[in-house]
Structure formats: C-alpha cells, structure tokens
Amino acid sequence: MKQTIKTLIEQAARAAFEKGALPSDAFPPFTVEEPKVESQGDFATNIAMVMAKAQKMAPRKIAEALVAEMALAGSIVDKVEIAGPGFINLFLDKGAWLDAVTRVEDKGDTYGASTLGEGKKVMVEFVSANPTGPLHVGHGRGAAVGDSTARILSFAGFDVDKEYYINDSGRQIRTLGLSLFLRYKELCGTPVDFPEDCYQGAYIIDMAQGVKADKGDSLLEMPEDEAVLLCARHAASLILEGIKTDLEAFGVPFDCWFSEQSLYDNGLVPETIETLKAKGTLYENDGALWFKTSEYGDEKDRVVVRSNGQTTYFASDIAYHMNKFDRGYQRLIDVWGADHHGYIPRINASITATGHNKDDFDVILVQLVNLLRGGEPVAMSTRSGEFVTLKDVVDEVGADAARFIFLSRHYDSPLDFDLELAKKKTNDNPVFYVQYVHARISSILEKAKAERGLTVSAAPMESLTQPEEIALMKAMLRFPEVVETAAKLMEPHRISYYLMDLASAFHSYYNKHKVLTDDAVLSAARLRLVASVRQVIKTGLALLGVSAPEKM
C-alpha cells in the first residue's frame, strides 16, 4: 500500500507540472510514512518539503498543487490535509484496505515473500562455538539470530546456505585433550596438578569416566603427547555430537559443518599464505610472518605465522573466508559474539587484500544474555564450569519460547531472559501472546465448520467497516515491507515486533466483536479476515523458527 501511495503522489506531481502548477519536473526522492498519531491520517509525505529547492517555491504552495491533483475523483484517497509548513497527510477510503485479505489468500504461505535477493548466493555462518564444551545461552541467542536471518533472507529471494565452522584445530583443542587426559589420570589413581586454564566442567570428568571404562589404564602406557591428541579428538567428537543434538532440538539445522582442520589437511592455509606473499602483503619481523593489515584499515599489522612456525587463528580465518568466496558465495554473513567486534577490521583487511570486496562481508554482533529466574539473576561462572546450557533452557521452557524471546530485541542490545516468564501461559509471555492468536483463530474456524457448516469462502468484504477490522487489514498489508526491511538490515527482531503488533490488533478486535454473528454475510467476511490473520501469524512465526500451534 505504501508503494501504491508513493506512485499516486508521483503521478500527482507530474500532473501538476504538466498543468503549470509546478515549474520544474525535478522530483527528488521523498518518503511516505505511517503517522503514529491516527488523526494525522493513514500516510504522510514530506515531498513538498524536499521539492522546495528544485521548484523554487514555498513547501505549502507545492503541497497545495499536489493536493489539488490527489483530490480528483476515482482515487483511493478519501481526504488530504496539509499540515505545518507543508507536510501532506492522506486519509484513505476504507475500501482501499479490503484487498488485504485477498492478497493474503492468493499468496498463502508465500505472502510477504519477494525477489529482493534475485537469487544471490549468501552464506550465513553462525554459532561456530569451539567443540570444547556444551552450548550456553549466549550461543542460543546467536543460533536463533543466525537461523532466523537465513530464513528471512531466503524468503526475500536470496539463495542461502547455513554453515557451522568447527574450530577443531589449535591450542584450545589441545587444552581440551589435556584436560580430559589429566582427569583420566586422576581416575587411574595418578595424582595430578590440574591447571587453572584447563576446562573445569563436570562434563570433562564424565568423558574421562567413559575413556577409563573403554580403555582401562592403557593410555598411561602411551607417550603423553599421543595420549593427549587421542583425548582431544575423542572429546571434540563427543562434544560436537552433543552440540548437533542440542541445535537440532532448538530447530537449527545446518547445510554444512565445515572443519577448520580440513583447511590444513587440504593445504589451503599454506596455499593462502603463499598467495598473500605473492601479493606483497606479508613481511617478516622477529622471525614471525606479519600481514600488512594496517594498510587495509586495521589499527595495526597482524601475525599469521609465529616465530616458532605455528600459524595463528587469523591465518586459518583468512583461508576460510577465501574458501567461502571460492565456493561461489557472493555475500558472506558471520554471526559473532559482541566481544569479537575488534576482529572485524582484520577480516575486512584480509578480504580486500585477497581481491574481494569487503562490502560483500557483513558481521552481526550479538550481545550477551542475562539469565533471570523470577527477576533474579541466575549465577553463572564459566571458569568453574558452572553455567546454564542451551539444552537446560530448551528443556525447561521449550524451543519456541526460547527462540522468540532471543529474537524479541535487537541483537545489539543485551537481553534479559526470565525463565519463569518464558513458561507462563499468559499474555505477559510474548511467544504465548502471539501463538495464542493462531490457536484462537484455529478454534474459531473449527467451531464455524462444526456448529454452522461455515468454511472460509469468497464472501464479500464490504461489511467489514469496524475500526478494529480496518486496523487488522492495515497491519497485514505492512507484512511484506516488514520482511523486506528485516532482510535488508538483517534484523529478525522486526518480525517479532510486527507479530506482537498484529497479535495486539487481533486481541483488540476479538475483545470487541464476535466473529460468528447472526448475520451470515458478516460472519463469512469475518471468517475470511481472521483466517488471513492466522496465515500471516503462521508465516511470521516460521521466519523466526517458531511453531504455530492449532491448540494451546
């Protein structure tokens, strides 16, 4: 509808120019917005303000010329007002909104979809937690954001793949192996001094018990480096399987699980280093190999190969992002924790240095989750290994509630997640508030069929004139724009905000009006209306990875 109004305004401007009411055919870009105050109309535009310089006229005079054209017969505009120095407020005829239901019915599950992405290949890489321990609630928020972003982009016409980058190489994995081996030695009766920088959680002891049961004391007879490596691979494999299981329960599937170690096994890291050497972007200093990242916008140069010959994580990250482009992806989106913000410039530098456009690389930074129970903070300590896992949260409140709440705020803001609130079956719980609309409408449709033999049919809509009915239709017509904006800005919370608004509009309507009345024509029209609302709720929830229950 907003685009329809914009076209109407453009047509009015051209007509005013052709009739001599405007001296110039220069029409700069202008905005059309929905006023927050109902008395200011259905839409408002600043066109008269932005045209003033080109037209060499006062904005109010320009507005008068445009209003004269928009007031012509046959327009969907019922009334036009000029406000202040030249803002134009447009009030639409109620019949202009009746098309909303038909649009939803015609498109069904694809209502709100678009061709914005034009099939562009996009990689969304997210979670990518080191396989050194279970996923925690922070990983859960990143998983919800990444998965929903991918769903929205796909719905908007992009060709999207989701990838998990497995950090299965380097110091952290060796530390994991050492942690497991030391706990294993303890179980074998060998006293050990357990370092503080080893992994402290009870899950390490659980795995050590499994190794002891399977291998007995045999690992003690092996060279320690060999035993630690064996323990590292065993632990990483077990933890990764647990991560996959937890993400599956959370409704987050991946198209690819990409191993960091494979970059070394396939020679891609040394190959990348040689490519950078050939480009003259590396230099030696103090026995180490440095990348001239400062020449590409980073605050300082970065080491890619240490003086001991060991490559850094940065080296494999460069190879990994080059590999993504080599696989044909035209746009890369990484979802990271907010504490990694300083890493963005160096990856941007590496992308530019390897001949790609850094504008094709985006990073979504996800802020922390503050876990509460009844308003009180839940104590967590990663050092001691005591923390609430994603599995704990999903087991307690369910995947739907967890996902919706994770996506209920912009990811760049810290999030308070109250476990008790997430379990409530009341309107205070946002996911319940939205899902209940879908369940309520499903119940209405079932009742209409069982008790009156009514089904959703092509009933005339002209009887829908109540303000709450118009509000619902307006809300549904906004959905495609909301999806497109969420895709452009990579902001899934826009969908949850929208669903809350639509749910609120429905609750207001349902509290004032009966869907099934004594008037058969009105009842049929209202069935069409609420069935369309149900469809939009279902589609919106699907974009968040949340189910739309028939009963609650």
Side-chain angles (χ1 to χ4, degrees), residues 114-272:
S114 71
T115 58
L116 172 71
E118 299 179 331
K120 188 175 184 178
K121 284 183 66 64
V122 178
M123 153 82 73
V124 183
E125 183 241 312
F126 59 106
V127 184
S128 299
N130 295 331
T132 54
L135 298 179
H136 55 64
V137 288
H139 295 132
R141 190 180 191 190
V145 168
D147 187 59
S148 185
T149 298
R151 289 169 185 255
I152 292 166
L153 289 172
S154 180
F155 201 60
F158 292 88
D159 181 7
V160 184
D161 282 329
K162 296 180 294 184
E163 185 157 289
Y164 188 115
Y165 181 57
I166 309 167
N167 300 108
D168 54 357
S169 178
R171 180 181 57 80
Q172 287 181 312
I173 294 299
R174 190 188 184 284
T175 301
L176 174 67
L178 179 61
S179 303
L180 176 55
F181 181 63
L182 292 177
R183 291 303 189 199
Y184 165 82
K185 287 178 71 175
E186 284 182 333
L187 292 173
C188 293
T190 303
V192 300
D193 182 16
F194 200 82
E196 281 191 10
D197 61 348
C198 279
Y199 294 99
Q200 308 286 331
Y203 65 96
I204 299 292
I205 297 173
D206 292 340
M207 287 191 292
Q209 289 171 339
V211 173
K212 177 73 165 62
D214 184 45
K215 301 291 187 180
D217 295 346
S218 62
L219 268 62
L220 299 179
E221 301 170 7
M222 300 169 60
E224 183 166 310
D225 283 350
E226 189 177 327
V228 167
L229 179 61
L230 187 150
C231 286
R233 289 175 177 171
H234 175 73
S237 177
L238 280 181
I239 292 170
L240 186 60
E241 284 306 309
I243 288 173
K244 289 181 177 181
T245 299
D246 291 348
L247 288 171
E248 185 178 331
F250 196 46
V252 179
F254 283 90
D255 298 294
C256 180
W257 295 76
F258 191 99
S259 164
E260 179 188 6
Q261 185 60 44
S262 72
L263 294 170
Y264 291 94
D265 295 342
N266 296 329
L268 292 179
V269 174
E271 182 181 310
T272 299

Side-chain angles (χ1 to χ4, degrees), residues 434-444 549-552:
V434 174
Q435 285 182 320
Y436 189 70
V437 174
H438 190 274
R440 169 61 72 186
I441 295 174
S442 297
S443 176
I444 292 170
E550 300 283 329
K551 298 181 184 297
M552 291 183 72

Side-chain angles (χ1 to χ4, degrees), residues 410-430:
H410 196 298
Y411 45 70
D412 69 0
S413 300
L415 175 71
D416 289 337
F417 189 121
D418 196 307
L419 293 164
E420 295 304 319
L421 175 64
K423 292 186 288 186
K424 285 185 177 180
K425 304 298 182 184
T426 69
N427 288 342
D428 293 332
N429 181 352

